[in-house]
Amino acid sequence: ILVQVAFKMYLGVTPSVSCRSAAGNEFSLILDKNPLVDFVEELPTERSSLCYCNLLCGVIRGALEMVHLAAEVTFLQDRLKGDAVTEIGITFLRKPEDRKPKRN
């Protein structure tokens, strides 16, 4: 839910969230409308492998690292590549530690 609020605040869209694994460590954010796509008309053929919206993956990964959660964030579908939606996959690499840090 926090992800949906953050996307709404900063990008003006609300992604839907879907779980991709039974363990609960993988999920997808699905954007029906990606506002970053409005800034690109068409990717040139020599740059077809460019993932223009990969900026979102970096922002999500950085935000998770700020709260000490290691994750792999990748694009699964991209509207710029002809897909119907933009889908970002997030996989947590390890569970947060249950122990509290020692204080001096």
Side-chain angles (χ1 to χ4, degrees):
I1 304 267
L2 188 58
V3 165
Q4 292 173 323
V5 172
F7 266 83
K8 183 70 174 170
M9 283 177 51
Y10 293 109
L11 293 176
V13 295
T14 303
S16 57
V17 180
S18 67
C19 188
R20 293 187 306 157
S21 73
N25 66 334
E26 295 182 30
F27 64 95
S28 292
L29 300 175
I30 300 170
L31 298 165
D32 293 326
K33 182 179 184 316
N34 183 351
L36 296 180
V37 171
D38 296 339
F39 298 103
V40 178
E41 291 182 15
E42 187 176 323
L43 290 174
T45 55
E46 64 273 1
R47 302 278 188 235
S48 62
S49 64
L50 178 68
C51 190
Y52 179 77
C53 296
N54 209 24
L55 169 77
L56 294 175
C57 292
V59 169
I60 294 168
R61 182 174 172 213
L64 290 170
E65 285 180 359
M66 293 297 292
V67 293
H68 305 288
L69 292 172
E72 180 180 312
V73 184
T74 56
F75 262 94
L76 302 176
Q77 295 184 58
D78 191 352
R79 290 189 66 185
L80 286 174
K81 309 249 180 183
D83 297 320
V85 295
T86 298
E87 182 177 1
I88 301 170
I90 301 173
T91 303
F92 290 106
L93 301 177
R94 62 181 179 271
K95 292 185 178 183
E97 296 178 3
D98 292 331
R99 63 183 174 93
K100 293 183 179 180
K102 294 180 182 179
R103 294 185 183 204
N104 292 335

